[in-house]
Amino acid sequence: MTSITPDQWYGLLGIAVTVAGLVRLVTVADLVARLVALNVMGIGSLLVLMALAARGPQVDPVLSALVITGLVITVAFTGVGAVLIRRIEQSPPERREEDP
């Protein structure tokens, strides 16, 4: 019987987190919950990248740099998404002209 290595464990955990975020994204209608689900999916994909980086005897510096860059981009897009959600929810509903 073979045991699971830590990098395989983190890879599987990253896939599970990504799938959980995707399921939540598809099943919920609230915009804030969707933004959080996108963040969960992003963290899951970054976890998979770190698992891939740790496969060899040394950690791959390129994948580690991609993960750090992904974290910065995630924070920036979360802020932009929050501002957009706030503007969408504060915008007045459009008035419809009734047909005579």
Side-chain angles (χ1 to χ4, degrees), residues 31-92:
L31 294 176
V32 175
R34 283 186 169 189
L35 182 63
V36 171
L38 282 172
N39 282 335
V40 169
M41 286 178 56
I43 295 301
S45 65
L46 293 176
L47 192 56
V48 170
L49 279 176
M50 279 310 296
L52 290 174
R55 284 188 298 166
Q58 291 182 336
V59 175
D60 186 7
V62 174
L63 288 177
S64 297
L66 282 175
V67 169
I68 294 170
T69 304
L71 287 171
V72 171
I73 291 171
T74 299
V75 170
F77 277 112
T78 300
V80 170
V83 169
L84 287 175
I85 289 171
R86 184 175 177 191
R87 288 194 180 189
I88 288 170
E89 290 181 350
Q90 287 183 351
S91 65

Side-chain angles (χ1 to χ4, degrees), residues 21-38:
L22 179 63
V23 168
R24 181 70 175 169
L25 179 69
V26 172
T27 59
V28 73
D30 183 34
L31 294 176
V32 175
R34 283 186 169 189
L35 182 63
V36 171
L38 282 172

